[in-house]
Amino acid sequence: EPEVTQTPSHQVTQMGQEVILRCVPISNHLYFYWYRQILGQKVEFLVSFYNNEISEKSEIFDDQFSVERPDGSNFTLKIRSTKLEDSAMYFCASGGVGYTFGSGTRLTVV
Amino acid sequence: GEDVEQSLFLSVREGDSSVINCTYTDSSSTYLYWYKQEPGAGLQLLTYIFSNMDMKQDQRLTVLLNKKDKHLSLRIADTQTGDSAIYFCAESNQGGKLIFGQGTELSVKP
């Protein structure tokens, strides 16, 4: 069964550093998403991406965040100048109705 | 704004039926979903229901939707220890951004 692949599975970074979280969506999917889950809280929508541009973003997705599809297969989330409160599990997803999630990247900001 | 609420815990005995409940506020929800998350894993789509349906059955899973009361339930028949996980209810409008509940942790005792 096709999978959404995320790397790395766990990343530790120092406060103020930039991180790039990587995702390989399912190859024939056109819609891509990023969500995050802070420990003990709900899974929250960050951004959706279609046709090489952002189609919707949440209030959380401010100038600190950016997404890119640098080639035909990867979909990345960049977080600039990380803060302690950015520590969370970040999930990538792709597809239409009932889309497929990856296993997530656990980001720890120290 | 849109909100989705679930009870946090459910404990059942192996072989019993489990019923996980969810309420939502968005009257324009088009699709409602159930996702399963096992420890250390991503969000696995179990099933979804279109808002003009009352019920959907898929093997051991039965989804009931009461649109008037904005209430969604997931019934798992003959619950097994392998069903122990966190179950997330989610809703979307037109199949895009998902709004998640906080998840119900199902514990199945032998």
Side-chain angles (χ1 to χ4, degrees):
Chain A
E1 190 166 327
E3 288 184 342
V4 174
T5 305
Q6 290 187 244
T7 55
S9 56
H10 190 188
Q11 176 140 11
V12 181
T13 189
Q14 291 213 321
M15 195 166 53
Q17 296 296 303
E18 174 182 287
V19 295
I20 297 176
L21 309 183
R22 301 181 192 280
C23 170
V24 179
I26 294 172
S27 62
N28 62 346
H29 284 178
L30 302 178
Y31 290 86
F32 314 114
Y33 307 85
W34 283 100
Y35 286 77
R36 79 173 183 190
Q37 186 181 28
I38 295 171
L39 189 64
Q41 297 187 22
K42 293 183 179 183
V43 177
E44 301 173 291
F45 168 79
L46 291 177
V47 66
S48 59
F49 192 86
Y50 171 73
N51 201 23
N52 285 321
E53 61 183 28
I54 291 173
S55 51
E56 188 175 0
K57 61 182 181 178
S58 71
E59 293 172 354
I60 304 166
F61 195 88
D62 58 20
D63 292 344
Q64 186 196 4
F65 295 89
S66 61
V67 289
E68 196 177 38
R69 189 152 162 81
D71 53 45
S73 59
N74 289 284
F75 179 51
T76 62
L77 174 69
K78 183 188 290 186
I79 310 174
R80 287 179 278 277
S81 189
T82 48
K83 303 184 283 252
L84 294 176
E85 53 265 38
D86 294 326
S87 294
M89 183 75 91
Y90 288 81
F91 293 105
C92 173
S94 72
V97 176
Y99 39 82
T100 303
F101 282 81
S103 298
T105 294
R106 180 169 297 284
L107 176 66
T108 303
V109 182
V110 297
Chain B
E2 308 107 335
D3 194 21
V4 178
E5 295 292 330
Q6 302 175 238
S7 53
L8 294 182
F9 301 101
L10 177 65
S11 181
V12 300
R13 292 236 171 253
E14 193 172 22
D16 288 349
S17 291
S18 308
V19 179
I20 302 171
N21 294 299
C22 169
T23 58
Y24 61 97
T25 59
D26 187 0
S27 55
S28 60
S29 293
T30 312
Y31 296 95
L32 295 119
Y33 308 82
W34 286 102
Y35 280 86
K36 176 183 180 182
Q37 186 181 37
E38 296 183 59
L43 298 161
Q44 175 197 353
L45 178 68
L46 287 177
T47 187
Y48 67 90
I49 188 168
F50 189 51
S51 59
N52 69 353
M53 297 170 65
D54 298 324
M55 186 183 88
K56 182 177 180 181
Q57 186 150 5
D58 183 1
Q59 299 181 339
R60 291 191 298 123
L61 304 179
T62 303
V63 177
L64 294 178
L65 173 60
N66 181 328
K67 198 173 178 183
K68 174 176 164 289
D69 293 340
K70 299 192 186 69
H71 182 268
L72 182 75
S73 67
L74 173 70
R75 179 177 178 270
I76 306 172
D78 187 26
T79 315
Q80 302 297 307
T81 53
D83 294 324
S84 293
I86 300 176
Y87 290 80
F88 291 92
C89 170
E91 62 94 5
S92 75
N93 192 330
Q94 304 299 324
K97 171 180 81 174
L98 296 181
I99 306 295
F100 282 88
Q102 60 269 59
T104 299
E105 183 174 348
L106 175 64
S107 173
V108 183
K109 300 189 186 326

